[in-house]
Amino acid sequence: NDACVAIECPAGRQDSCTLRAIANLVPYVHSDCFTIHDGSDPYASKDGKRRIALNSKYHALLKEYPFQRVWTNTGLTVNIMLVRSAPNNRQIQMIKELSDEILFLGISSFEDFPKPSVNPFSAKYPADKYVGLFPGFLHMLRPDDAAKTFPSHVKLLLMSQSDFSLPNHAYRDYSVPRTYDFTYSGSDQDVRNDCVGWSSFAKNWSFVKEALNVMCGEFKLKGVLVATIDKQNVKRCSIPKSCEGLITQTQYISQSEFHSYVEKSRFLFLPQIHDASPRVSTQALALDVPLLMNAYISGGWKYLNEKTGEFFHDFSDFRQQLAKIVKNADIENHYTPRKWVTEHYGNAKSCKRLFNFVKEEFPDWAEAILPKGTTCLYI
């Protein structure tokens, strides 16, 4: 069985054993784990620090928000740790102490990290505090911005969490009319304050309210505003009177429910700017739904082209771009979002890109910490 990388047996016995696709060793008194090797010690370290065996502090790090796991095509967690948001001073010290044993790579996954946040509700830090902290960074920036942001010693890969894990879905059936014109993914965190707060700033809700005057009042569009009602189902984000009878507001809902709304919509509305490549962007594309996206968005811009939707900059061109996507969304194959995104992203393609990045830019690390047979790395 090529998928087997370990055999687990009841403690002290060699019968009633099972095959395992993950070889991470965990202390468990009731069973023994036997791993496959070529006669040498597969967990030996060449330099006394870097090794295949998972660092004893790895799982403790994962309990803290900034840290994110990396694993191989066989499911084995490896000594590569992503840092997805600004670590505090204590966490920075932990990173420095373990930097010879774990390959720490930054990843843009929170606000404008590693650049300072412009969100008025967020903590502030110097512009150069994190850009050079890691030897490599999976970033979201446009090429010219990346060149200005990171020091020359940092190895860069244009990659986001949203490059992975696309929902499986059929191509659009144009004979079935769409229920809604658009869906917007909000957040219920600030509903009590009429959607004024950290999360609403990140979602650019103030722009949404102005845009709704156009979308409802002028274009008479039907839409869904997800997560704009509080968990108690009492308060909701206020919307223009022109949207009465046209807009459906929901509480926070499951991902499958969200996908159900998106797949019934002509486009997904992404007005945010300071957002690190929202996962809903590639999810919508995989559901064969195009995007109406803010051209100034920090991350996710790379998914937008003539096959996947339309950009707008501000109200100077919002009506024009809105009219364009409304007109073209129902023209069969004018946009081909699912075809495009599955040709360029998803687990199979993105895991190989990440593996090649580590192998080519950090060859000593790759040789020391990646087990034989590794062809992909997942996040």
Side-chain angles (χ1 to χ4, degrees), residues 111 117-124 190 193 196-202:
E111 297 184 317
S117 173
V118 301
N119 193 316
F121 302 95
S122 294
K124 302 296 184 281
D190 306 317
N193 299 321
V196 175
W198 177 87
S199 185
S200 296
F201 181 91

Side-chain angles (χ1 to χ4, degrees), residues 118-174:
V118 301
N119 193 316
F121 302 95
S122 294
K124 302 296 184 281
Y125 50 81
D128 61 352
K129 183 170 184 178
Y130 298 109
V131 293
L133 181 60
F134 312 105
F137 216 105
L138 315 186
H139 73 96
M140 61 183 176
L141 303 177
R142 292 169 173 83
D144 57 340
D145 195 8
K148 292 184 294 184
T149 298
F150 294 97
S152 58
H153 74 271
V154 179
K155 308 299 183 182
L156 300 178
L157 178 64
L158 181 60
M159 173 169 279
S160 299
Q161 180 80 53
S162 49
D163 293 357
F164 293 79
S165 300
L166 303 179
N168 190 22
H169 195 271
Y171 287 101
R172 177 178 174 180
D173 181 354
Y174 284 85

Side-chain angles (χ1 to χ4, degrees), residues 248-267:
T248 299
Q249 292 183 258
T250 80
Q251 296 174 274
Y252 180 83
I253 56 179
S254 67
Q255 186 175 84
S256 61
E257 290 176 287
F258 172 71
H259 288 175
S260 179
Y261 281 116
V262 174
E263 67 186 4
K264 295 174 184 175
S265 301
R266 297 160 84 185
F267 64 91

Side-chain angles (χ1 to χ4, degrees), residues 51-179:
R51 61 183 69 236
I52 294 175
L54 199 63
N55 189 281
S56 60
K57 297 180 180 179
Y58 194 100
H59 287 297
L61 287 174
L62 288 180
K63 294 178 181 179
E64 307 201 25
Y65 179 78
F67 301 109
Q68 184 172 343
R69 169 184 174 238
V70 176
W71 68 96
T72 72
N73 45 290
T74 63
L76 185 73
T77 302
V78 292
N79 284 315
I80 302 173
M81 181 76 76
L82 300 184
V83 184
R84 59 187 173 184
S85 64
N88 59 36
N89 290 335
R90 178 183 59 81
Q91 292 163 340
I92 291 174
Q93 185 59 37
M94 294 165 62
I95 291 169
K96 290 179 178 178
E97 290 174 358
L98 293 171
S99 62
D100 289 335
E101 303 172 41
I102 297 174
L103 175 60
F104 289 94
L105 301 174
I107 181 171
S108 298
S109 188
F110 186 82
E111 297 184 317
D112 293 306
F113 179 71
K115 298 166 75 173
S117 173
V118 301
N119 193 316
F121 302 95
S122 294
K124 302 296 184 281
Y125 50 81
D128 61 352
K129 183 170 184 178
Y130 298 109
V131 293
L133 181 60
F134 312 105
F137 216 105
L138 315 186
H139 73 96
M140 61 183 176
L141 303 177
R142 292 169 173 83
D144 57 340
D145 195 8
K148 292 184 294 184
T149 298
F150 294 97
S152 58
H153 74 271
V154 179
K155 308 299 183 182
L156 300 178
L157 178 64
L158 181 60
M159 173 169 279
S160 299
Q161 180 80 53
S162 49
D163 293 357
F164 293 79
S165 300
L166 303 179
N168 190 22
H169 195 271
Y171 287 101
R172 177 178 174 180
D173 181 354
Y174 284 85
S175 68
V176 180
R178 294 285 160 133
T179 306

Side-chain angles (χ1 to χ4, degrees), residues 308-323:
T308 59
E310 305 294 341
F311 276 128
F312 69 90
H313 294 82
D314 47 39
F315 278 110
S316 67
D317 66 350
F318 180 73
R319 288 175 177 83
Q320 173 188 333
Q321 297 303 96
L322 177 61

Side-chain angles (χ1 to χ4, degrees), residues 158-309:
L158 181 60
M159 173 169 279
S160 299
Q161 180 80 53
S162 49
D163 293 357
F164 293 79
S165 300
L166 303 179
N168 190 22
H169 195 271
Y171 287 101
R172 177 178 174 180
D173 181 354
Y174 284 85
S175 68
V176 180
R178 294 285 160 133
T179 306
Y180 308 101
D181 292 299
F182 68 93
T183 292
Y184 161 80
S185 176
S187 170
D188 65 356
Q189 293 182 23
D190 306 317
V191 176
R192 66 186 181 280
N193 299 321
D194 195 22
C195 290
V196 175
W198 177 87
S199 185
S200 296
F201 181 91
K203 297 287 187 177
N204 205 5
W205 176 252
S206 60
F207 181 91
V208 173
K209 290 188 73 170
E210 292 187 61
L212 286 173
N213 276 316
V214 176
M215 301 171 91
C216 298
E218 298 179 26
F219 284 73
K220 307 301 179 186
L221 300 183
K222 294 179 64 177
V224 182
L225 305 178
V226 173
T228 57
I229 302 176
D230 66 14
K231 291 180 172 62
Q232 293 72 37
N233 199 23
V234 175
K235 297 192 68 175
R236 60 183 62 205
C237 301
S238 61
I239 58 177
K241 289 187 177 180
S242 61
C243 290
E244 290 181 5
L246 294 174
I247 295 297
T248 299
Q249 292 183 258
T250 80
Q251 296 174 274
Y252 180 83
I253 56 179
S254 67
Q255 186 175 84
S256 61
E257 290 176 287
F258 172 71
H259 288 175
S260 179
Y261 281 116
V262 174
E263 67 186 4
K264 295 174 184 175
S265 301
R266 297 160 84 185
F267 64 91
L268 181 73
F269 183 33
L270 284 171
Q272 49 262 58
I273 297 175
H274 301 285
D275 199 337
S277 196
R279 298 185 198 184
V280 296
S281 57
T282 49
Q283 290 172 4
L285 296 178
L287 296 173
D288 218 16
V289 175
L291 312 175
L292 180 61
M293 176 183 281
N294 195 317
Y296 298 114
I297 193 167
S298 296
W301 52 269
K302 65 184 182 182
Y303 306 128
L304 214 289
N305 56 63
E306 62 182 8
K307 294 298 184 182
T308 59

